[in-house]
Structure formats: structure tokens, C-alpha cells
Amino acid sequence: MKLGKKIISVLAVAAMMTTLAACGNGDGGSNGGSSASNTGSSTSSGGDNKVYRVGICQLLEHEALDSATKGFQDALTEKLGEGNVEFDLQNAQGESANCSTICNGFVTNNVDLIMANATGALQAAVSATNSIPVLGTSITDYATALNLSDWEGHTGTNVSGTSDLAPIDQQEDMILEIMPDIKTVGIAYCSSEPNSSYQAGLMKKALEEDNIECKEYTAADSNEIQSVITTACDECDALYIPTDNTMASSVETIKNVVVPAGVPLFAGEAGLCAAGIATLSISYYDIGKLTGEMAYEILVNGKDAGTMDIQTAPNVTKLYNKEICETLNITIPEGYEELTAE
């Protein structure tokens, strides 16, 4: 009898240990393959405060895009609280194929939301998922980027976000204000960026309505920028470059052409104005922060991204590059602020 009781006791203990082990491994392996920044459970130890996992795909390293990402992270961390959000920030180094790999990885790891910084990143995120909420930032025109017709300000899908487009009519006013006698403007951009083509079309229309001749110059990639800008400088009184990631990544190359040629460049954003004389600027940090606030509404309050209107920067600022203006002997009217390095 004593032996029988001992056997029963041993079996009972073994069964209990098996049950406890099974409970302890209930979520094991569900996040396999995620990056180191996504380690940890999806809920806090208390069980009440969810730890949200957010994947960030940034197209390339650039001052404007970096600022937008920082604004997004700062806003969402402030809203959720330290420790309640984990960011998996990955940079595609300007390669569309890398964007696709990154976004597919986010889907595999079942992140709660994807933030796509720049058009190539947004397009990759949309291709990767139609269920995980996607917020874009540093996107000029969502209808163009996503090939949407009957645009009404929101996508109707799992996508929303913020736009970095400064008003084109005000940008054209800036050109005419500084160079009232201008005859020919060259518009240069990367042909593989649809948002740049969209801006170029708007600027061309605005200038032609004021009887200013326009010529378009496109580069397929960064390798063609120097020759394209050189040709544009030979044929035009001034240049305009819209917000364009490829052009922005080669700003020093552009500066080394336009300044020696003595041709004023008007830039679509502050980063490009390192090679230009003036820009109508938005704050990329601010639109990133606005995107973070939208993410909070989706994650915590259950907002549907598809019904959220695309947001724009609340303010624009006239900036001028003092160094280049002095080099080219250009006088800037009142109302402009001096461009400063971040």
C-alpha cells in the first residue's frame, strides 16, 4: 500500500510539472525572427498596459526624414508613456527592394502599426499588408503615391498619414518675389519619384499662368544628377527642385554645380536649400509628431486609418540661405528667416 501511494504521488507531481511547463511556454516562438528591438511580450507584466510594437521603415538617411521619424517617436512615446511602445526602426538605404523586405518582416512579426517614412516606404508597406494600420509621413501626395482615383482626402483603406507638401502657389510667389524679371525656370527632379513629378506639374502650371517659360529636367537616379543639373544651369535663369528624396541625398553635388554657375536654386524643402537661395519650409519634426498623434488614436482609441483625413503641416516658413545669397549677390526681401543648420 505504501509503495502504491508513493507511485501515485510521483505521478501527480509529474503531471503538475508538465501543466506548469505548458502554461509557461504558451506564447513561445510566436515572435520568432523579429529584430532585437522587438523582444518582450506584447503586454506589460501588470496585464493592464499594452506594450505596442511599431515598425518604422525609413527610405533613407536624410535630415528631413530623420526629423520626421524623431517627431513620430517622441509624440507616440509621450502619449503612451515610457515602456509602453517598442520601435523597430529600419532604414532602407534608398533601395525600394529593401523597403519591401523590411515591411514584409514587420508583417511576419505582427507589429501593431507600421510607420512608413517617404513614398517608397509607403508603397512597400501597402503592398505588404491590407490589415495592419499604416501611417505615412514625408509623403507629398497620397493619391499619386497610391494611384487612387476620386480622391476625397482619405484613402478608405488601412492607410493614412501626413503630407510634406508646402503650398505650390506660395512657392511660386516666392520665386517671383525674389526674381521678378525671371524668364526661364528649370524644374529638376528624379523621374522615378511620382510625388516629385506631381509637384513639378503644379509648379509648371503656376509659372506658365504668369507667362514664365518652364523646362523640365529629370534624372533616373543619383548618378545622373550632376549632368542633369549642369544642363539645366546652362539653359535657365533659375532652378526649382521640389521635395525629392533622390535629389536631397545629393545636395552637395547640386550645390557644387549651381553655385559656381551662378544660377539661383529655389528648393521645395529646407534640406535642399543647403544648395539653394530660398525655400518655403515646413517642419518635418512637426509632421512626424502629428503622425505619432494619429498613431495613438488608432492604437488606443480604435480609429480607422482609412477614414482619417491626410494631415498637413500647420505652418510654413520663408527661409533663405545667407551664404549662397551673398555669393550670388541676391537681395532677399523682408519676411524671410535665415536658414540655419539643424
Side-chain angles (χ1 to χ4, degrees):
M1 291 294 292
K2 290 182 179 180
L3 179 61
K5 288 181 178 179
K6 287 182 179 180
I7 292 172
I8 293 171
S9 177
V10 170
L11 291 173
V13 171
M16 184 180 297
M17 293 300 292
T18 301
T19 302
L20 289 172
C23 291
N25 292 329
D27 290 330
S30 62
N31 288 328
S34 65
S35 69
S37 60
N38 265 349
T39 58
S41 63
S42 62
T43 57
S44 66
S45 58
D48 295 327
N49 296 321
K50 181 180 174 73
V51 177
Y52 295 94
R53 294 182 299 143
V54 176
I56 301 176
C57 178
Q58 183 172 316
L59 178 62
L60 49 80
E61 294 177 8
H62 179 260
E63 180 181 330
L65 303 188
D66 293 345
S67 293
T69 292
K70 187 175 189 306
F72 175 80
Q73 291 177 302
D74 286 352
L76 195 51
T77 300
E78 180 181 347
K79 291 286 240 178
L80 293 174
E82 286 285 350
N84 292 328
V85 58
E86 295 175 346
F87 298 106
D88 185 357
L89 170 58
Q90 298 192 41
N91 194 298
Q93 303 300 326
E95 297 292 337
S96 297
N98 291 343
C99 287
S100 297
T101 300
I102 291 167
C103 290
N104 286 329
F106 291 157
V107 174
T108 299
N109 292 332
N110 195 30
V111 298
D112 296 299
L113 182 140
I114 296 174
M115 195 279 267
N117 193 344
T119 300
L122 178 69
Q123 292 169 333
V126 170
S127 296
T129 180
N130 60 8
S131 57
I132 296 174
V134 174
L135 288 178
T137 193
S138 313
I139 312 296
T140 302
D141 179 65
Y142 282 75
T144 301
L146 301 179
N147 194 28
L148 300 174
S149 58
D150 300 323
W151 179 247
E152 296 181 350
H154 54 270
T155 67
T157 64
N158 60 318
V159 179
S160 189
T162 55
S163 170
D164 63 358
L165 179 62
I168 293 291
D169 58 342
Q170 293 183 42
Q171 294 185 55
E172 191 236 3
D173 289 343
M174 178 183 66
I175 295 173
L176 298 182
E177 181 181 35
I178 295 174
M179 300 183 68
D181 298 324
I182 194 169
K183 302 298 182 183
T184 305
V185 175
I187 304 176
Y189 60 96
C190 178
S191 58
S192 63
E193 296 196 29
N195 283 327
S196 301
S197 176
Y198 171 75
Q199 294 171 81
L202 293 178
M203 179 58 77
K204 183 177 181 181
K205 180 180 178 182
L207 287 167
E208 289 180 343
E209 287 177 353
D210 287 323
N211 298 315
I212 307 299
E213 182 183 359
C214 293
K215 295 183 179 181
E216 292 188 47
Y217 302 86
T218 60
D221 54 40
S222 59
N223 295 322
E224 296 184 0
I225 288 177
Q226 183 172 352
S227 62
V228 166
I229 297 299
T230 298
T231 300
C233 286
D234 290 340
E235 299 176 353
C236 301
D237 301 324
L239 302 185
Y240 168 75
I241 299 180
T243 55
D244 183 296
N245 293 308
T246 304
M247 289 288 177
S249 67
S250 300
V251 67
E252 284 301 316
T253 299
I254 295 170
K255 180 179 179 179
N256 291 336
V257 175
V258 297
V259 174
V263 177
L265 166 66
F266 294 88
E269 51 94 6
L272 274 165
C273 200
I277 63 167
T279 183
L280 190 65
S281 176
I282 68 165
S283 167
Y284 276 80
Y285 181 86
D286 285 350
I287 63 169
K289 187 173 181 180
L290 187 57
T291 311
E293 293 169 354
M294 295 173 73
Y296 177 83
E297 291 298 320
I298 293 170
L299 293 171
V300 176
N301 295 328
K303 289 290 186 67
D304 178 2
T307 65
M308 299 174 74
D309 284 346
I310 303 302
Q311 302 294 305
T312 57
N315 301 302
V316 293
T317 305
K318 290 181 176 181
L319 299 176
Y320 78 102
N321 188 321
K322 182 178 179 180
E323 176 190 355
I324 295 180
C325 286
E326 289 179 347
T327 299
L328 301 184
N329 196 28
I330 292 174
T331 301
I332 298 296
E334 294 184 0
Y336 286 75
E337 297 180 12
E338 184 179 345
L339 177 72
T340 58
E342 292 288 336

